[in-house]
Amino acid sequence: GEAKAGEAKAGEAKAGEVKDGGSKAGDAKEGESDEPPADEDLIEEFDALKLPTLDDDSVRLAFSMLLPAGEKRLSKKAFVKVVRLTYVVVVRTTLADRVVFEGQKTQGILEESDVLEVLEGPVREGDADAMRVKVRCVKDGAEGWATIQGGKGGSVFLREGGNVFRVAIPAPISTSLVPPADEAECRTLEVGEVVDVEEGPTKEETSGHTRIKVKVRSDGSTGWVTARSGQGALFCRAVW
């Protein structure tokens, strides 16, 4: 009986320690607070993260790498192209109205080599374990959610890219978004030629063609070329 009484007293003593501010798992340490840090504290922490100091030559080199070939000034359009994240469709898929598959409605069809600008994500869709991303289709402005890759190592539908294309069908290059009336007057890009996208893809309403403004790597010439015809023929295929 005396042993049990002693154990009870010891238990009371431990309970008293906790009440009096004794430490236990999960308790805040002395001097710490559960309150979020004040704005002034955040500013001090941010100021402590100093960026490396670059000499003038290094700054010029870094800036020149952002410039389009032959340009001396970085335009707003060129800057946006550098910082935006785009995906390219590698397998035909759908554009949906929500991130989850359950109850989703199809907003449209994404064709191979369509270029997509990222608006949100990527995020993992819990039940299906698929990687999903909210995008804007560059050619027509349609927005919605698309699958990058199916769950458990499934099919890949999107890959990062969209700035480089390779000619798949001989295609005339012209000076205007609108396809030329007489293609014989234009230079024809041959199969296998590689082009860098400067603008687009853009859907040209009159013809229904999806067009891109490009710079041809082989000779530096620039102009508009059809990436996909209104009938669905793929003249230029995205490289990823």
Side-chain angles (χ1 to χ4, degrees), residues 64-72 196 198 215 220 222:
S64 66
M65 295 175 68
L66 300 178
L67 292 174
E71 299 291 331
K72 295 183 178 180
D196 295 300
E198 294 191 338
K215 183 171 185 177
T222 60

Side-chain angles (χ1 to χ4, degrees), residues 92-175:
R92 191 173 189 260
T93 186
T94 57
L95 191 67
D97 65 337
R98 63 194 67 183
V99 64
V100 296
F101 290 105
E102 185 177 358
Q104 73 174 11
K105 295 180 180 179
T106 299
Q107 304 284 83
I109 301 297
L110 299 175
E111 302 287 355
E112 180 191 344
S113 291
D114 279 350
V115 179
L116 313 172
E117 181 181 359
V118 174
L119 301 177
E120 187 178 335
V123 297
R124 191 172 295 280
E125 201 285 309
D127 293 336
D129 197 38
M131 289 302 297
R132 302 270 281 169
V133 64
K134 187 175 183 181
V135 296
R136 176 186 295 115
C137 190
V138 176
K139 70 179 181 184
D140 58 13
E143 296 184 8
W145 288 87
T147 300
I148 298 174
Q149 183 176 15
K152 298 178 175 62
S155 299
V156 175
F157 296 93
L158 313 179
R159 291 189 183 277
E160 288 189 31
N163 294 323
V164 181
F165 279 68
R166 179 177 285 111
V167 179
I169 299 175
I173 183 170
S174 63
T175 58

